[in-house]
Amino acid sequence: MLETSIPHADITAATAPAGASTSDAFPDTKSRRRYWILLATLAVLSCLFAAGTLVWDNPMPFGSAGFWRITEMRATSLIVIAIVVVCQATATVAFQTATNNRIITPSIMGFESLYVAISTAAVYFLGATGVVALQGTPQFILQIALMVVFSLMLYGWLLSGKYGNLQVMLLVGIVLGGGLGSVSTFMQRLLTPSEFDVLTARLFGSVSNADVDYLPIAIPLCVAAAVALWWRARRLNLVAMGRDVTTNLGLDHRREIMIVLFLVSVLMAVSTALIGPMTFLGFLVATLAYQFANTYDHRYVFPVAVLTGFTVLTGAYFVLKNIFYTEGAVSIIIEAVGGSVFLFVILRKGRL
């Protein structure tokens, strides 16, 4: 076994796919130039959509107190969008690497099912006031903690022991998610129509669900977990090559997987507790990022995924809000497009 202190250049060389340059993440100068042009284009589009969201169709005179007040309110929505995109994009890319499968998302582990079960149980036992009982910073922290603890218990149990493996973990996650979903559906059928309407609004993934009081908690958690994943990008490059290669290069494969899954749990818990379920956003963004970046190196995939997600989400929000006047349908459009991309990838996965 090699020493654990492997130079970065050697790790890059070891993880380069066949036919690629062993001294760089890109096979040639043209590919590198194309990547930076793409990144700059996504950054410009993100800035344009963000600026449009802030100032377009502002009814108050430019520079007035009312103008800046409205802009500040819109800026809060952009901050929420940025948090959700960073969480979903980085979590999905890292999760797909850890599981060595590009057609699944962290949602498969039951985060959203647990969120739905908690919200449904609150309304079922407390009535319509149950939604109010779930609001507040302590409740927000508690929901995040429950999701992270639930996932860590699942990971620790299924990845330990003689027969522990990721495939079993994924299957158990699907079963648990389906079970929680069935329990939630049963409780929902026993609710009154008014209680069901209140609960439906709660379970609908929307930027408007976010409370500004949650941001001081969500932002540090999001930034810390995302930066930690980016900082471990070279290790993720090794994890992507499988257990044997990772172990031969001096890394503890199970430990690396557990760290990645913990950070993914934090990101997904923050996103879900903040705005609600967004099942296919991460998958859509990750799939596009892999196609756009055209590199195996996570140091370059992560930024493309985040900028792609921000461009897609702010673009959809701007267009639906200012042209169709249906900003509440953003998550529906994203889920529909993401689901379509998911089916498309499934149908041609043999060639991906």
Side-chain angles (χ1 to χ4, degrees), residues 30-54:
K30 182 180 179 181
S31 298
R32 172 177 284 275
R33 186 184 305 113
R34 175 182 174 275
Y35 172 85
W36 289 111
I37 292 174
L38 169 69
L39 200 68
T41 302
L42 290 173
V44 171
L45 289 175
S46 297
C47 292
L48 289 176
F49 283 128
T53 301
L54 290 175

Side-chain angles (χ1 to χ4, degrees), residues 326-350:
T326 55
E327 64 269 23
V330 171
S331 60
I332 298 177
I333 301 299
I334 294 297
E335 296 296 273
V337 175
S340 300
V341 173
F342 178 79
L343 292 176
F344 177 74
V345 171
I346 289 290
L347 292 175
R348 65 187 295 261
K349 64 180 181 178

Side-chain angles (χ1 to χ4, degrees), residues 179-334:
L180 289 173
S182 299
V183 173
S184 300
T185 301
F186 173 75
M187 289 189 291
Q188 289 171 13
R189 289 186 176 275
L190 300 178
L191 299 177
T192 65
S194 59
E195 291 173 342
F196 182 78
D197 289 342
V198 172
L199 176 63
T200 301
R202 169 80 179 180
L203 300 181
F204 185 74
S206 175
V207 175
S208 60
N209 286 345
D211 191 326
V212 67
D213 293 335
Y214 300 163
L215 297 183
I217 305 297
I219 292 176
L221 289 175
C222 171
V223 171
V227 169
L229 283 175
W230 186 86
W231 182 72
R232 304 182 68 84
R234 294 180 184 273
R235 292 174 179 262
L236 281 172
N237 295 340
L238 292 179
V239 171
M241 301 187 71
R243 179 186 299 271
D244 293 339
V245 174
T246 304
T247 303
N248 288 334
L249 288 174
L251 295 179
D252 186 335
H253 184 267
R254 181 180 179 277
R255 177 176 176 273
E256 295 299 322
I257 293 293
M258 287 294 296
I259 292 175
V260 170
L261 293 179
F262 168 71
L263 295 174
V264 168
S265 302
V266 172
L267 291 171
M268 290 301 299
V270 169
S271 174
T272 305
L274 186 63
I275 69 165
M278 292 283 281
T279 305
F280 288 110
L281 175 62
F283 175 81
L284 173 64
V285 170
T287 301
L288 294 176
Y290 287 128
Q291 301 299 322
F292 290 162
N294 194 28
T295 180
Y296 62 91
D297 197 329
H298 289 75
R299 293 174 300 166
Y300 300 98
V301 176
F302 281 138
V304 172
V306 171
L307 285 177
T308 299
F310 191 79
T311 301
V312 169
L313 204 53
T314 53
Y317 186 82
F318 176 79
V319 170
L320 291 176
K321 179 178 184 293
N322 296 286
I323 297 179
F324 299 101
Y325 305 103
T326 55
E327 64 269 23
V330 171
S331 60
I332 298 177
I333 301 299
I334 294 297

Side-chain angles (χ1 to χ4, degrees), residues 117-132:
I118 292 173
S119 300
T120 303
V123 176
Y124 178 78
F125 290 108
L126 302 177
T129 57
V131 173
V132 179

